[in-house]
Amino acid sequence: MADNLFGHHISKQFNAELEDIRHRVLAMGGLVEQQIADAIQSLVEGSSGLAQRVKDNEIKVNALEVALDEECTQVLARRQPTASDLRLVIAVIKTITDLERIGDQAEKIARIGEQLAELERPRNQYMELQHLADGVKAMLHEVLDAFARMDAEAAVRVARRDEIIDNEYEAVMRQTVTFMMEDSRSIKRSLEIIWAARAMERIGDHAKNICEYVIYLVKGKDVRHISFDEKEAAARSDR
Amino acid sequence: MADNLFGHHISKQFNAELEDIRHRVLAMGGLVEQQIADAIQSLVEGSSGLAQRVKDNEIKVNALEVALDEECTQVLARRQPTASDLRLVIAVIKTITDLERIGDQAEKIARIGEQLAELERPRNQYMELQHLADGVKAMLHEVLDAFARMDAEAAVRVARRDEIIDNEYEAVMRQTVTFMMEDSRSIKRSLEIIWAARAMERIGDHAKNICEYVIYLVKGKDVRHISFDEKEAAARSDR
């Protein structure tokens, strides 16, 4: 590494390192998006090949998390970044934890798919789960986009959608519990649907966390534990 | 701040800052422990006063998370720590995220307690939940202890216990699902029990994450995504 070079070249090398980190976060995000898509398709179609791909990607996602954490630690130790560079490194350290946990949830959904494949399929082909999954997949895609473009306002818009996901999740829950009460033979299947819905709702929560890190990265403001309106004000503010 | 002093005094001041961070992490951990204890007591006894205290402490926990994150960022920017000082800061940034999420789960358990208070109580007084809660509360207490004493081997022992928690959780789940199938009038209450058990299982997962950060902090090795035997070897190794 070009640790001992000075001036322009150090900065170029340092920039390249930060760029590399950004690219790898987006690559990790892409893998996790693929995991969600595969997991839900595997669940809806009962296809075990896709479930295996989710597991294979989990190994890659875990390895990327560890490698990126190491890379960030190296940058902190060697480059001693400040201001927006430091915020990028901190935001990445946090983001990759949530990405990895989204991957865990995708794997859970794939496993639930394997359980459901052994049970009778409902007439609606798990439409409600497909819908929820589409919502959280879009959230993740758009927050990764906001991260790539350093767009804090887009990140707030994505974060707001977590409420819609939560409402949809509650609706799936109510409907599923009603089915369970009406027909106790449906309890096993209903519980699997509940687990899958909950995993998706958690993916939405993790995506929302990443939105907050993007706002922190761009604006330097910690917007956790405050209202959406306050987050929006922070995202619109000049620094 | 004593930014411009040199030599011994800088180091003393820097040490004091790191000590302050460690103390505040332990204080935050203590609050979260209290949240778990209050939440489960509130659930088992149906007492709403304790549920309120869980919510009040949630605000303090969130504030501590934000303040500690800010303090860690300041230390990174001003002190540019390396080696074990850098690992402490990184481990703290990760640990407080998991502590805060444990607090969220405690709040969830307290809310479930409020739901359960309106339903008929089971003869066993939710003994199975009390037992699970005792297990995860002990895990959290001991990993905070391991953090305070910088004891990687203790952290591995605590992490291993997450498997026991997972098995107990599975047992509660199986039993509760059986009740649901036998008596569909118990579905509402059973689902609440399932949510509470799941929240506790997640607390165990977060406590296990903190164990991994303690091992990283003490030994400088990233022990995520590897077996317990490998973690143990890392915890025993000389650096």
Side-chain angles (χ1 to χ4, degrees), chain A residues 9-79:
Chain A
H9 196 69
I10 272 198
S11 158
K12 256 172 101 174
Q13 172 71 20
F14 182 19
N15 281 340
E17 287 176 22
L18 294 178
E19 261 316 295
D20 183 60
I21 287 175
R22 281 162 48 88
H23 273 116
R24 290 175 87 185
V25 170
L26 292 171
M28 184 178 172
L31 275 175
V32 173
E33 278 186 75
Q34 186 66 53
Q35 282 188 296
I36 302 176
D38 287 344
I40 185 66
Q41 200 182 333
S42 138
L43 185 153
V44 169
E45 297 177 1
S47 101
S48 61
L50 286 171
Q52 187 55 47
R53 192 158 80 181
V54 177
K55 287 177 205 161
D56 293 344
N57 274 335
E58 180 66 9
I59 294 167
K60 290 187 202 164
V61 165
N62 290 348
L64 265 171
E65 185 198 13
V66 171
L68 270 162
D69 243 331
E70 175 66 23
E71 203 172 338
C72 287
T73 310
Q74 291 289 331
V75 164
L76 287 173
R78 288 192 295 106
R79 301 292 183 183

Side-chain angles (χ1 to χ4, degrees), chain B residues 112-214:
Chain B
I112 293 165
E114 289 172 328
Q115 299 291 320
L116 284 173
E118 291 167 14
L119 303 172
E120 202 194 326
R121 304 186 71 68
R123 262 175 308 169
N124 79 353
Q125 302 296 323
Y126 304 114
M127 194 185 59
E128 71 283 28
L129 292 179
Q130 175 81 64
H131 189 67
L132 251 183
D134 288 345
V136 297
K137 202 159 49 107
M139 266 186 86
L140 176 60
H141 184 78
E142 287 166 34
V143 69
L144 289 170
D145 227 50
F147 174 86
R149 291 183 285 108
M150 302 275 283
D151 185 340
E153 291 189 38
V156 176
R157 282 196 298 277
V158 179
R160 270 189 195 274
R161 278 173 39 199
D162 191 41
E163 273 186 273
I164 300 172
I165 300 290
D166 286 351
N167 291 338
E168 285 180 6
Y169 162 73
E170 293 295 339
V172 171
M173 291 291 300
R174 275 194 302 276
Q175 188 195 43
T176 311
V177 171
T178 305
F179 284 153
M180 286 168 86
M181 289 181 170
E182 282 169 357
D183 178 6
S184 66
R185 288 166 307 173
S186 80
I187 287 181
K188 267 231 158 78
R189 190 176 70 193
S190 295
L191 277 175
E192 299 295 342
I193 293 174
I194 285 175
W195 298 144
R198 173 147 285 211
M200 291 168 196
E201 184 259 343
R202 281 182 64 186
I203 291 175
D205 286 346
H206 287 297
K208 193 184 101 180
N209 292 339
I210 299 175
C211 293
E212 294 173 345
Y213 308 144
V214 171

Side-chain angles (χ1 to χ4, degrees), chain B residues 25-37:
Chain B
V25 170
L26 292 171
M28 183 177 172
L31 275 174
V32 173
E33 279 186 74
Q34 185 67 52
Q35 282 188 296
I36 301 176

Side-chain angles (χ1 to χ4, degrees), chain A residues 62 65 69 80 94 98 100-101 173 177 180-181 187-188 191 194-195 202 209 213 224-225, chain B residues 62 65 69 80 94 98 100-101 173 177 180-181 188 191 194-195 202 209 213 224-225:
Chain A
N62 290 348
E65 185 198 13
D69 243 331
Q80 307 179 327
K94 287 168 182 270
D98 280 282
E100 191 269 334
R101 290 182 191 170
M173 291 292 299
V177 171
M180 285 168 85
M181 288 179 168
I187 287 181
K188 268 232 158 77
L191 277 175
I194 284 175
W195 298 144
R202 281 182 63 188
N209 293 339
Y213 308 144
R224 291 171 300 185
H225 316 305
Chain B
N62 290 348
E65 184 198 13
D69 243 331
Q80 307 178 326
K94 287 167 183 271
D98 281 283
E100 192 270 334
R101 291 181 191 169
M173 291 291 300
V177 171
M180 286 168 86
M181 289 181 170
K188 267 231 158 78
L191 277 175
I194 285 175
W195 298 144
R202 281 182 64 186
N209 292 339
Y213 308 144
R224 292 171 299 185
H225 315 305

Side-chain angles (χ1 to χ4, degrees), chain B residues 3-171:
Chain B
D3 254 322
N4 297 316
L5 301 180
F6 293 97
H8 184 63
H9 197 68
I10 271 197
S11 156
K12 255 171 103 172
Q13 172 69 21
F14 183 20
N15 280 341
E17 286 175 24
L18 294 178
E19 260 316 295
D20 182 59
I21 287 175
R22 281 163 48 87
H23 272 117
R24 290 174 87 186
V25 170
L26 292 171
M28 183 177 172
L31 275 174
V32 173
E33 279 186 74
Q34 185 67 52
Q35 282 188 296
I36 301 176
D38 286 344
I40 186 65
Q41 199 183 334
S42 138
L43 186 154
V44 169
E45 297 176 3
S47 103
S48 62
L50 286 172
Q52 187 55 47
R53 192 159 79 181
V54 177
K55 287 176 204 161
D56 294 344
N57 274 336
E58 180 65 11
I59 295 167
K60 291 188 202 162
V61 166
N62 290 348
L64 265 172
E65 184 198 13
V66 170
L68 270 163
D69 243 331
E70 175 66 23
E71 202 172 339
C72 286
T73 310
Q74 292 290 331
V75 164
L76 286 173
R78 288 190 296 103
R79 300 291 183 183
Q80 307 178 326
T82 56
S84 69
D85 295 337
L86 178 56
R87 289 206 307 277
L88 173 66
V89 175
I90 292 175
V92 166
I93 287 176
K94 287 167 183 271
T95 295
I96 59 180
T97 305
D98 281 283
L99 282 178
E100 192 270 334
R101 291 181 191 169
I102 292 175
D104 286 345
Q105 297 304 316
E107 209 188 331
K108 202 170 282 176
I109 293 168
R111 275 205 303 274
I112 293 165
E114 289 172 328
Q115 299 291 320
L116 284 173
E118 291 167 14
L119 303 172
E120 202 194 326
R121 304 186 71 68
R123 262 175 308 169
N124 79 353
Q125 302 296 323
Y126 304 114
M127 194 185 59
E128 71 283 28
L129 292 179
Q130 175 81 64
H131 189 67
L132 251 183
D134 288 345
V136 297
K137 202 159 49 107
M139 266 186 86
L140 176 60
H141 184 78
E142 287 166 34
V143 69
L144 289 170
D145 227 50
F147 174 86
R149 291 183 285 108
M150 302 275 283
D151 185 340
E153 291 189 38
V156 176
R157 282 196 298 277
V158 179
R160 270 189 195 274
R161 278 173 39 199
D162 191 41
E163 273 186 273
I164 300 172
I165 300 290
D166 286 351
N167 291 338
E168 285 180 6
Y169 162 73
E170 293 295 339

